[in-house]
């Protein structure tokens, strides 16, 4: 981020990029450096590094992209706790089941790294599906089936399990692992990989 600030103040005042906390917490400064997603405020630039905007989103200007479509997948995936969630206390073990998913900063690095969007731009995506796992694994959630139903099309079965999302996550969340757990949960509700029928 320091280099971007220097370029903007001393070389090109039109350079446009997003920045927020400068502490690796807000996720607003995510970019691609040398073809890998990073947070600009946490990455130490080297001579020859190539900086680009995130992929799979429309570039608004320079390093700023429009994330509206990416965020819209949270709604399609029903990635929230239902209004009728049970009012019960969770044990420390219960809280650990989905504790790390709460650390997601919505930086969209996983969305940018995901290769599925090259063939399916309606894929619900890594961070949307991770958020679904957070809620369906919560003992208080009362609408688990509804959430599982919502992620069958353009969802859990479309993921290639390539692990690119996990590699780039600055919070050490593994959307791949969460998607695998969602597949197992889906099978409990009678769903199976639709690709099995095509062989």
């Amino acid at each position: 981020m320091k280099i971007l600030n220097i370029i903007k103040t001393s070389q090109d005042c039109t350079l446009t990029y997003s920045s927020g906390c400068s502490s690796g917490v807000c996720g607003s400064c995510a970019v691609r450096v040398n073809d890998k997603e990073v947070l600009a405020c946490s990455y130490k630039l080297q001579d020859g590094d190539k900086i680009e905007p995130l992929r799979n989103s429309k570039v608004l200007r320079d390093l700023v992209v429009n994330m509206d479509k990416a965020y819209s997948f949270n709604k399609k995936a029903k990635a929230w706790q239902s209004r009728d969630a049970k009012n019960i206390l969770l044990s420390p073990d219960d809280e650990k089941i989905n504790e790390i998913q709460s650390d997601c900063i919505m930086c969209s690095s996983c969305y940018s790294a995901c290769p599925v969007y090259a063939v399916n731009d309606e894929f619900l995506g890594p961070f949307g599906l991770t958020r679904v796992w957070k809620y369906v694994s919560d003992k208080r959630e009362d609408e688990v089936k509804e959430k599982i139903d919502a992620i069958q099309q353009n969802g859990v079965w479309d993921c290639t399990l390539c692990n690119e999302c996990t590699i780039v996550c600055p919070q050490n969340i593994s959307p791949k692992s969460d998607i695998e757990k969602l597949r197992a949960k889906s099978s409990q509700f009678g769903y199976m990989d639709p690709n099995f029928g095509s062989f």
Side-chain angles (χ1 to χ4, degrees):
M1 186 61 71
K2 183 178 179 182
I3 297 297
L4 292 176
N5 290 336
I6 290 172
I7 293 171
K8 186 171 182 69
T9 56
S10 65
Q11 298 178 29
D12 181 0
C13 65
T14 69
L15 178 63
T16 306
Y17 51 91
S18 296
S19 128
C21 68
S22 298
S23 303
V25 176
C26 73
S28 64
C29 65
V31 293
R32 283 170 53 84
V33 178
N34 302 329
D35 302 319
K36 181 183 176 186
E37 288 72 15
V38 299
L39 296 182
C41 69
S42 302
Y43 183 83
K44 298 194 183 309
L45 282 174
Q46 306 291 322
D47 285 345
D49 281 345
K50 178 178 71 172
I51 307 173
E52 299 175 289
L54 295 179
R55 294 186 307 172
N56 301 322
S57 297
K58 181 181 178 182
V59 176
L60 296 176
R61 182 169 176 177
D62 298 334
L63 299 175
V64 179
V65 297
N66 185 333
M67 293 307 305
D68 288 351
K69 183 165 186 179
Y71 296 150
S72 75
F73 292 131
N74 283 333
K75 182 175 182 181
K76 290 182 180 178
K78 300 185 184 297
W80 59 77
Q81 190 165 61
S82 66
R83 188 174 292 165
D84 298 325
K86 300 172 188 136
N87 187 16
I88 58 174
L89 291 176
L90 298 181
S91 70
D93 287 340
D94 292 334
E95 291 175 354
K96 285 179 183 174
I97 290 173
N98 53 33
E99 183 177 36
I100 192 168
Q101 288 79 11
S102 299
D103 293 337
C104 176
I105 56 176
M106 303 282 284
C107 67
S108 299
S109 291
C110 61
Y111 180 83
S112 173
C114 181
V116 175
Y117 291 105
V119 293
N120 180 4
D121 65 359
E122 291 301 314
F123 177 48
L124 296 176
F127 68 74
L129 292 170
T130 278
R131 289 174 66 85
V132 172
W133 171 250
K134 170 181 166 54
Y135 295 115
V136 302
S137 62
D138 191 320
K139 286 185 174 180
R140 296 168 296 184
E141 181 54 53
D142 201 38
E143 296 179 359
V144 172
K145 184 178 186 305
E146 182 180 344
K147 295 186 187 311
I148 292 298
D149 291 345
I151 60 172
Q152 298 308 305
Q153 185 174 3
N154 298 317
V156 288
W157 309 111
D158 291 73
C159 175
T160 63
L161 302 179
C162 68
N163 208 38
E164 290 297 321
C165 52
T166 302
I167 292 169
V168 301
C169 180
Q171 298 297 89
N172 297 314
I173 299 168
S174 176
K176 173 187 177 271
S177 175
D178 295 337
I179 290 168
E180 289 175 321
K181 288 181 274 193
L182 285 170
R183 286 182 176 186
K185 183 69 88 170
S186 294
S187 69
Q188 294 173 13
F189 287 93
Y191 290 107
M192 63 177 288
D193 188 342
N195 295 314
F196 285 159
S198 62
F199 294 110

